[in-house]
Amino acid sequence: MFVNSNGYNLGVREDEVVVNDVELPPWAKKPEDFVRINRMALESEFVSCQLHQWIDLIFGYKQRGPEAVRALNVFHYLTYEGSVNLDSITDPVLREIPEAYFIRDPHTFLLTKDFIKAMEAQIQNFGQTPSQLLIEPHPPRSSAMHLCFLPQSPLMFKDQMQQDVIMVLKFPSNSPVTHVAANTLPHLTIPAVVTVTCSRLFAVNRWHNTVGLRGAPGYSLDQAHHLPIEMDPLIANNSGVNKRQITDLVDQSIQINAHCFVVTADNRYILICGFWDKSFRVYSTETGKLTQIVFGHWDVVTCLARSESYIGGDCYIVSGSRDATLLLWYWSGRHHIIGDNPNSSDYPAPRAVLTGHDHEVVCVSVCAELGLVISGAKEGPCLVHTITGDLLRALEGTENCLYPRLISVSSEGHCIIYYERGRFSNFSINGKLLAQMEISDSTRAILLSSDGQNLVTGGDNGVVEVWQACDFKQLYIYPGCDAGIRAMDLSHDQRTLITGMASGSIVAFNIDFNRWHYEHQNRY
């Protein structure tokens, strides 16, 4: 809204300056900064804590009467609701009086046609005061700053008490953990961290919600039952590996990585791609049995992605293939299948076919809230499609950014793309390149915090780093691990980061994005 991107002729000002893009204040380098900084201000604790005072002035007890006078909140009398009702002036004589005259006595005047027009102009040009909704002071919002003493408070800054690493869980298999899915919501039948290794051995590791305990007085990390993740007993005892091993043959040329797997939001099913018959398949995490085979591509399926889930567990699944296309599918949470109809689960139809790439698709991300799919091929620009299959635009990186490998999209409409050789780009959903950086690590996993403000990266160096997403300013570096990072996910409360390691273990880190929040840094 601040940029004349279509080059419309908006005229010339009196001082002969051409009207074009909106001129921004000095503190905003670009329109995106202007929007971001204003949002930070309006959504800040400082504003939230005083919001009730604004409500009192506009809709509340300070809108009229003596309180309005005390608050210097008095406006022209015609702006107040009920002071004039133009529709009630039906007398044609009043509307047709030819000349303005006011005389009767010093305290009354006769309405004239010109005066009615003046009232209409006053209301049209200066607006009306809203209806008064409250006659008592509005209570202040519960603020995180008032709740600092509660252990589960989101803005409890006890960083110094918390250790960076909560726990390390080593699986008996030394196969690298290439996929991590932390579906940890307490209402789930099995809140768990589901892991899948390079050899396609999966584990359903039960999640214990310990955040209220962590950092509390007397809490100690050796209390094993307070650790957040408990290893899958079938893996720990080596007793039910047959229920956890996917044995169906994958195409030999496929490199197993995090994109080959998707876990449903209820932890009950795993979707896996890379099979020689050009299908992707659905397996039950409870039994390890195959429940559905889905065909649709003309070549091997190389990557999968899942959108956020709706109530009931429905979501979109996107499959990308060596045939350079993507297919959008619908996952039914009710029937636990791809497609809406359990009677035709053998041959479900995709919702949309997404085309435009020239090479094998290697990475994809789908956001149901925005209705968008962003995908990257082995070579060339990333493409933005709608979920109905329309190609919106290409995200053209700089000349060094030709080989996209990882994509993460926030519901705010920012798209982070990692390219080969340590290069990152941040695009707006309108295709504008907002920021870029280059790092020395070969990154294997990226994710955005739920508000889209922070980016977490990990790679072959075994180091987790946290960045400010808008400009790639580095916020934090965690202690290095003794193996490379292959996959990452965040718990539902954004307080625990779980990484899958090349050594066959998972590491759980304490993470609190609030500690890098500008208000915390200014106030605490």
Side-chain angles (χ1 to χ4, degrees):
M1 64 183 283
F2 301 112
V3 180
N4 183 16
S5 53
N6 294 310
Y8 291 134
N9 180 1
L10 301 173
V12 180
R13 298 191 324 204
E14 287 179 5
D15 57 4
E16 298 188 350
V17 173
V18 175
V19 177
N20 196 21
D21 295 347
V22 171
E23 289 181 15
L24 300 171
W27 48 263
K29 304 273 189 304
K30 49 185 186 274
E32 290 80 9
D33 285 346
F34 184 76
V35 174
R36 181 176 58 81
I37 293 166
N38 266 300
R39 279 190 62 174
M40 285 165 69
L42 290 169
E43 295 170 5
S44 67
E45 279 298 310
F46 183 76
V47 170
S48 297
C49 290
Q50 302 183 64
L51 209 53
H52 62 289
Q53 297 180 17
W54 176 81
I55 294 169
D56 289 340
L57 288 168
I58 308 301
F59 301 102
Y61 79 110
K62 290 184 180 178
Q63 191 201 81
R64 298 179 179 214
E67 290 294 341
V69 175
R70 278 192 210 103
L72 303 179
N73 192 36
V74 178
F75 297 90
H76 191 283
Y77 76 96
L78 287 177
T79 65
Y80 290 96
E81 187 179 50
S83 63
V84 63
N85 183 356
L86 295 173
D87 296 334
S88 68
I89 305 171
T90 55
D91 185 342
V93 177
L94 288 181
R95 285 194 178 267
E96 296 303 325
I97 289 175
E99 70 282 333
Y101 62 94
F102 281 82
I103 303 306
R104 269 222 200 139
D105 59 60
H107 306 291
T108 63
F109 58 83
L110 197 67
L111 280 171
T112 72
K113 190 162 108 179
D114 287 345
F115 188 71
I116 291 169
K117 279 185 179 166
M119 283 199 299
E120 287 174 338
Q122 162 79 27
I123 291 165
Q124 284 167 357
N125 287 288
F126 296 96
Q128 286 182 283
T129 308
S131 302
Q132 187 176 22
L133 304 179
L134 306 164
I135 53 171
E136 292 179 351
H138 191 285
R141 199 192 89 163
S142 291
S143 157
M145 290 197 276
H146 302 154
L147 296 172
C148 281
F149 56 87
L150 289 178
Q152 63 272 34
S153 162
L155 276 161
M156 182 197 72
F157 304 113
K158 293 193 175 175
D159 322 326
Q160 63 283 3
M161 285 178 57
Q162 296 195 348
Q163 298 166 337
D164 280 331
V165 178
I166 305 166
M167 65 180 295
V168 179
L169 204 61
K170 176 73 181 75
F171 294 110
S173 149
N174 290 325
S175 181
V177 176
T178 52
H179 188 83
V180 175
N183 296 310
T184 57
L185 282 163
H187 67 74
L188 294 173
T189 315
I190 310 171
V193 175
V194 177
T195 57
V196 192
T197 68
C198 214
S199 59
R200 290 173 305 135
L201 182 71
F202 69 89
V204 183
N205 309 288
R206 188 172 277 277
W207 173 262
H208 300 288
N209 284 292
T210 61
V211 167
L213 302 164
R214 239 180 280 161
Y219 172 69
S220 139
L221 281 176
D222 353 284
Q223 293 169 283
H225 58 288
H226 283 164
L227 292 175
I229 306 167
E230 179 189 338
M231 191 185 294
D232 186 333
L234 296 184
I235 299 292
N237 310 331
N238 214 16
S239 58
V241 174
N242 59 323
K243 286 187 173 181
R244 297 288 185 256
Q245 180 69 58
I246 307 297
T247 53
D248 297 352
L249 288 176
V250 290
D251 191 277
Q252 292 303 302
S253 62
I254 283 288
Q255 195 177 3
I256 300 286
N257 60 30
H259 294 127
C260 294
F261 310 96
V262 155
V263 178
T264 56
D266 57 6
N267 293 319
R268 292 176 63 185
Y269 294 87
I270 298 181
L271 287 70
I272 303 179
C273 69
F275 296 101
W276 61 273
D277 63 359
K278 305 162 192 170
S279 71
F280 67 91
R281 305 184 180 194
V282 183
Y283 295 86
S284 160
T285 56
E286 190 181 346
T287 62
K289 288 184 175 162
L290 176 65
T291 61
Q292 191 180 16
I293 302 179
V294 182
F295 293 100
H297 285 284
W298 295 97
D299 207 333
V300 174
V301 180
T302 47
C303 57
L304 293 171
R306 158 172 95 73
S307 73
E308 64 276 34
S309 283
Y310 299 109
I311 293 169
D314 290 10
C315 62
Y316 291 111
I317 301 286
V318 179
S319 58
S321 167
R322 217 168 255 172
D323 65 12
T325 68
L326 300 111
L327 298 178
L328 182 86
W329 309 84
Y330 197 75
W331 171 263
S332 166
R334 183 178 167 204
H335 302 299
H336 308 298
I337 54 165
I338 294 280
D340 301 326
N341 186 354
N343 300 322
S344 62
S345 64
D346 289 347
Y347 302 103
R351 289 285 179 96
V353 181
L354 316 181
T355 59
H357 288 294
D358 297 326
H359 301 275
E360 165 186 336
V361 181
V362 294
C363 51
V364 62
S365 184
V366 53
C367 179
E369 189 176 336
L370 296 175
L372 294 176
V373 178
I374 293 113
S375 55
K378 215 164 194 175
E379 193 178 326
C382 291
L383 300 181
V384 182
H385 288 86
T386 66
I387 52 176
T388 52
D390 298 319
L391 175 59
L392 285 184
R393 60 181 54 85
L395 303 178
E396 300 273 3
T398 55
E399 56 187 26
N400 297 326
C401 299
L402 297 173
Y403 311 108
R405 293 297 174 260
L406 302 167
I407 297 175
S408 189
V409 185
S410 77
S411 58
E412 302 296 332
H414 287 282
C415 179
I416 308 285
I417 302 172
Y418 169 72
Y419 300 87
E420 259 187 11
R421 302 200 179 99
R423 297 186 176 98
F424 283 84
S425 294
N426 179 4
F427 290 92
S428 77
I429 220 63
N430 295 324
K432 182 175 178 183
L433 179 61
L434 302 176
Q436 53 191 85
M437 73 166 171
E438 193 172 330
I439 61 174
S440 56
D441 194 3
S442 177
T443 303
R444 298 295 195 102
I446 65 173
L447 54 83
L448 283 163
S449 57
S450 60
D451 61 3
Q453 301 287 328
N454 301 288
L455 170 72
V456 186
T457 64
D460 289 346
N461 292 355
V463 177
V464 173
E465 296 178 78
V466 184
W467 313 82
Q468 196 164 281
C470 62
D471 57 3
F472 293 130
K473 175 188 168 191
Q474 191 174 62
L475 299 174
Y476 195 68
I477 305 175
Y478 279 88
C481 302
D482 57 1
I485 293 162
R486 292 284 180 272
M488 289 192 300
D489 203 6
L490 282 163
S491 59
H492 70 281
D493 58 5
Q494 306 274 295
R495 300 295 294 272
T496 309
L497 173 75
I498 302 103
T499 60
M501 312 301 293
S503 56
S505 56
I506 55 174
V507 180
F509 294 90
N510 263 317
I511 194 161
D512 184 355
F513 293 110
N514 290 310
R515 62 197 264 206
W516 303 301
H517 192 276
Y518 72 101
E519 276 194 280
H520 167 229
Q521 302 206 319
N522 293 340
R523 288 171 181 275
Y524 300 90

